[in-house]
Amino acid sequence: MHEQGGVWEPGRWYAEGLGPLEVKGDGGAGRLLIAHGAGAGQHSLYMNQLRDALAERGVQTLAIEFAYMQRAEREGRRIPPPPVERLVEELSRWCDILTHPQGGTLWLGGKSMGGRVASLLAARQRAAGLILCGYPFHPPAKQETLRLAHWPQIDSPTLVVQGSRDPFGTREEVESYVLGERACVHWLEDGDHDWKPRRRSGRTQAELIEEGATAIAAFMKAHRVPQ
């Protein structure tokens, strides 16, 4: 892998013992280490469109795949993720490799489970900020099983980009939660967990992904720490 001036060169790289890293964007708006959701890796349509949209807005994404997903792709079968703590440790090892000594800490984030893993890591060690796309506030139909116990320990600017009818946390549910002073939520009207709106909304998933990417880039720029 190769970097210049604290920004990794776009391309596909490989970290020994961890796996592939795909870099997109020039980093003008910041650098985001982004993880995938539980059931689909970085080359799902959603993740590809989101990373492309972020690159167009100056956000450099450093996309990783957890070891279980690498194995699932090699074997051509679905493999469930391991306990979340193992994923937190794996993400921490990526941070050790990718954090530039002079460039400050990375922004962390991801889709659904990947965002949850990033938030758990940010609760134990400093991150420049958090970008949580479709955060799984609770399992579907289990509103009482909240995944917010670690949030008081997060001391980073945090943006949640959430579909308003996401079954892992709808607008009505999330607006009743106490997320902390540094957390903001950008709602994508009528979007589901993958930011897909219903046809009757008159909008498309691609449009909501563009809106989400615009919100993410603006948030990262607004909270960028001068070097």
Side-chain angles (χ1 to χ4, degrees), residues 39-69:
Q42 291 289 358
H43 295 97
S44 68
L45 179 63
Y46 171 91
M47 292 301 296
N48 265 319
Q49 289 184 339
L50 177 59
R51 290 189 289 128
D52 285 344
L54 288 170
E56 291 170 2
R57 290 158 177 80
V59 175
Q60 184 179 78
T61 55
L62 299 95
I64 61 123
E65 287 202 329
F66 292 114
Y68 86 91
M69 184 60 68

Side-chain angles (χ1 to χ4, degrees), residues 107-159:
W107 283 70
L108 303 179
K111 168 72 166 72
S112 191
M113 179 202 73
R116 182 186 176 206
V117 172
S119 70
L120 285 162
L121 181 57
R124 67 171 66 170
Q125 67 184 52
R126 184 180 177 277
L130 277 175
I131 300 295
L132 309 177
C133 302
Y135 186 80
F137 287 98
H138 58 73
K142 294 183 179 180
Q143 291 87 345
E144 70 284 356
T145 309
L146 285 180
R147 294 161 171 161
L148 290 172
H150 62 289
W151 277 54
Q153 283 73 56
I154 296 173
D155 186 27
S156 305
T158 300
L159 177 66

Side-chain angles (χ1 to χ4, degrees), residues 175-186:
E175 287 181 346
S176 70
Y177 304 155
V178 178
L179 301 181
E181 295 181 356
R182 305 202 73 185
C184 300
V185 181
H186 181 92

Side-chain angles (χ1 to χ4, degrees), residues 12-225:
R12 187 172 174 85
W13 308 95
Y14 188 85
E16 188 67 34
L18 284 171
L21 172 76
E22 191 165 294
V23 182
K24 292 185 179 182
D26 62 15
R31 301 163 64 223
L32 172 64
L33 176 55
I34 189 168
H36 54 79
Q42 291 289 358
H43 295 97
S44 68
L45 179 63
Y46 171 91
M47 292 301 296
N48 265 319
Q49 289 184 339
L50 177 59
R51 290 189 289 128
D52 285 344
L54 288 170
E56 291 170 2
R57 290 158 177 80
V59 175
Q60 184 179 78
T61 55
L62 299 95
I64 61 123
E65 287 202 329
F66 292 114
Y68 86 91
M69 184 60 68
Q70 296 175 46
R71 180 184 167 200
E73 292 176 351
R74 285 195 306 270
E75 298 180 4
R77 64 187 181 96
R78 186 180 179 89
I79 297 176
V84 70
E85 282 301 317
R86 282 175 53 187
L87 300 178
V88 174
E89 293 302 324
E90 195 172 341
L91 187 63
S92 179
R93 293 198 298 273
W94 274 109
C95 286
D96 291 342
I97 291 174
L98 299 174
T99 298
H100 189 270
Q102 287 77 41
T105 55
L106 286 165
W107 283 70
L108 303 179
K111 168 72 166 72
S112 191
M113 179 202 73
R116 182 186 176 206
V117 172
S119 70
L120 285 162
L121 181 57
R124 67 171 66 170
Q125 67 184 52
R126 184 180 177 277
L130 277 175
I131 300 295
L132 309 177
C133 302
Y135 186 80
F137 287 98
H138 58 73
K142 294 183 179 180
Q143 291 87 345
E144 70 284 356
T145 309
L146 285 180
R147 294 161 171 161
L148 290 172
H150 62 289
W151 277 54
Q153 283 73 56
I154 296 173
D155 186 27
S156 305
T158 300
L159 177 66
V160 180
V161 185
Q162 195 89 349
S164 64
R165 55 187 188 88
D166 190 328
F168 290 81
T170 65
R171 184 199 295 267
E172 292 74 19
E173 293 164 352
V174 176
E175 287 181 346
S176 70
Y177 304 155
V178 178
L179 301 181
E181 295 181 356
R182 305 202 73 185
C184 300
V185 181
H186 181 92
W187 290 104
L188 299 174
E189 194 58 43
D190 206 58
D192 66 6
H193 192 52
D194 292 324
W195 302 356
K196 291 180 181 178
R198 291 168 291 193
R199 184 176 298 179
R200 70 190 187 198
S201 73
R203 304 192 69 192
T204 66
Q205 183 190 34
E207 289 173 342
L208 293 192
I209 288 175
E210 293 286 330
E211 180 184 331
T214 297
I216 290 168
F219 189 82
M220 290 179 67
K221 288 178 182 176
H223 291 86
R224 192 164 192 179
V225 178

